[in-house]
Amino acid sequence: MRVASIARSVHATSAFRALLRPARQTHSRGLFWRNGASVWWGQRQQQLQQRAGTRALHCSSEAEATKDVWSRLKSRSLVLVEGTDAVKFLQGMTTNDFVKLAEPPHGRSMAGAFLNNQGRILYDFIATLAAPDKIYLDVCASQSQDLQKLLKKFKLRAKVTIQDVSDQLDLVAALGPDVGQWFVSTTASAGDVAKDGTLIMQDPRLIDLGVRAIVPKGSGIPEEWQKGGWGEVPEEAFDVYRVCRGVGQGPIELSSGAGMPLECNLELFSGVAFNKGCYVGQELT
């Protein structure tokens, strides 16, 4: 099981232990320090399902952030869709409503997916509106090239350009007890741009997943994170934290080409709009 393999690969690092701890004393060793992690997780999932129904996985909270931390998300790529038809173009191809991307409560970011004709997930993403005609798609790095081919295939006469800008920009993420307050205070005064010009957004899938920021390639983290003493942790720690909250992403966890949006709980994390117009694969969503 992927959760167990991730846990085994990172549980020994001090940074990981500093970030995550079991949420309840009754599970003092928790998911991350048991050799039988996959078996234990299966038992815990069954308990959650019995308590709150068959879709209780998204309520799981077996790990808590004990300090403010950040990580550079090297497994993710940024695909830029830019042009006067950017919103209209993506609106007809994805599960979410891009027309509402700039409206509350989305806050310039939203989750979603591209589907095939059979309604199966091909590529999941987090979209960030940088300007009315400029949208970043945060996607799994291993799927970036295939996604660009798909977009260019359907581009036709749409006034958009499509390119991977991961060689110019990095994606970083932060979570912790003070991250939410920092985000609210920062965006209240300067919108979605930090004092140093960094584009920031709340993770639209779940408030527990903190914030993300798009920064120039190789640059440091936002100035406020440095001043606050936020520590860096491995990206794998963020993955375990995310999985413990039932939020799947990428071709393995979402079974690219086989998994359906509702099977993967995409609608529970604001990734599906049921009142928008037609899009590829909508009939089975």
Side-chain angles (χ1 to χ4, degrees), residues 95-108:
T95 59
N96 219 331
D97 192 349
F98 272 78
V99 174
K100 297 182 178 179
L101 184 56
E103 302 175 3
H106 301 292
R108 290 186 176 271

Side-chain angles (χ1 to χ4, degrees), residues 16 21 58 120 219 249:
F16 178 71
R21 64 176 174 81
H58 75 286
R120 269 59 178 179
S219 69
Q249 70 178 26

